[in-house]
Amino acid sequence: MIDIKEYGEYTTSWCPGCGNHDVLKALKQTLSELNLAPRDVAHVSGIGQAAKAPHYISLNGFNGLHGRGLPSAQAVKLANPALTVIAESGDGCNYGEGGNHFLAAIRRNVDLTLLAHDNQIYGLTKGQASPTTMEGHVTKSQPGGVYNSPFNPVAVAIGMKCSFVARAFSGNVPHLVSVMKQAIRHKGFALVDIFSPCISFNKVNTFGWYKQRCYELPADYDPTDWHGAMEKAQEFGERIPIGVLYKNPRPTLDSRYDFLQKGPLCKQPVDHGTLDTIMDGYL
């Protein structure tokens, strides 16, 4: 097992008590228990408070544009299938600015894991409603309360028969580690939507609010039952199930490209003859 200290220790800009600290702690523990060396992992994000995660851990890191973490992560995996690829950003970045990329990632099924910090608010820009903010929630920019219905990422992912869909809570680190390990081991696109409370700008969905409501799925729950998973995905309010909601083994996009079966592109020889032919076509 890799010593957890190899993933580094950094001072963060997150508020004391922010759920992101526990997500970072869980990720380091997960990588350690999976015995993944920092050189073998690529950590990609977009923009936002959660998207600062690659700044605070010693892995191959890349900060993409707002909402564009997933396209970058897919490109990394297709260029070098040998890497374990983890994309990490918030609910605004993934489901708002990156909403279409989220849907495309489910359809493509590139083998990577998305850790979506879901605090139901835009924290970096100081508290506007995000796609997952509950209807009626009063924010600085919605003083009369949010009128839009909230986006349900796990229901959408299950509806599209995503390869792996899970929900977790940063206040339950042992369970979060268990879910992260299953997601990273899964072959295909794996979504882990993580309730990660914002203590500064969301005074509704607090640690206590989630702690009262979140319950772990029972041991006999069947994640291959699509109808059962859709039913669980709709359960949100007084009771919220956490755990692996749905699994659907599908061929990954990277496994369908013959040229990737020879190994990472960066280690394959360049065919200068073919390259010259292509370039001549533009002259």
Side-chain angles (χ1 to χ4, degrees), residues 138-214:
V138 175
T139 75
K140 289 181 178 178
S141 55
Q142 288 89 13
V146 173
Y147 297 141
N148 298 334
S149 296
F151 180 71
N152 185 333
V154 295
V156 170
I158 294 169
M160 294 178 67
K161 300 192 175 178
C162 180
S163 190
F164 182 104
V165 183
R167 209 161 215 175
F169 171 39
S170 66
N172 186 345
V173 171
H175 181 262
L176 177 55
V177 170
S178 169
V179 170
M180 283 185 178
K181 287 166 71 175
Q182 293 178 69
I184 291 172
R185 283 174 174 153
H186 181 80
K187 190 72 175 171
F189 178 71
L191 164 67
V192 184
D193 184 74
I194 307 166
F195 297 129
S196 178
C198 174
I199 63 165
S200 296
F201 300 107
N202 188 340
K203 305 297 185 183
V204 176
N205 311 107
T206 62
F207 271 98
W209 190 92
Y210 287 114
K211 199 163 186 176
Q212 286 178 355
R213 290 163 171 79
C214 290

Side-chain angles (χ1 to χ4, degrees), residues 59-142:
L59 301 172
N60 300 296
F62 182 82
N63 247 145
L65 299 174
H66 202 3
R68 271 67 177 175
L70 278 174
S72 303
Q74 291 168 90
V76 169
K77 185 65 180 182
L78 292 175
N80 191 350
L83 287 171
T84 294
V85 179
I86 297 169
E88 187 168 3
S89 283
D91 45 295
C93 186
N94 284 307
Y95 309 139
E97 286 79 5
N100 191 44
H101 295 301
F102 173 64
L103 302 180
I106 294 171
R107 293 173 54 224
R108 291 188 185 116
N109 197 35
V110 176
D111 182 22
L112 61 89
T113 298
L114 169 61
L115 304 178
H117 297 224
D118 191 348
N119 57 22
Q120 300 168 263
I121 208 78
Y122 278 99
L124 184 68
T125 47
K126 309 296 183 271
Q128 300 91 345
S130 81
T132 58
T133 304
M134 294 191 305
E135 194 169 343
H137 188 143
V138 175
T139 75
K140 289 181 178 178
S141 55
Q142 288 89 13

Side-chain angles (χ1 to χ4, degrees), residues 242-256:
I242 56 174
V244 180
L245 295 171
Y246 183 63
K247 284 199 287 188
N248 174 31
R250 292 168 47 199
T252 62
L253 185 64
D254 31 313
S255 71
R256 294 184 170 190

Side-chain angles (χ1 to χ4, degrees), residues 257-276:
Y257 290 129
D258 291 340
F259 58 89
L260 290 179
Q261 309 317 308
K262 302 173 186 174
L265 291 177
C266 59
K267 294 184 179 179
Q268 293 186 34
V270 176
D271 183 341
H272 291 283
T274 301
L275 182 61
D276 288 343

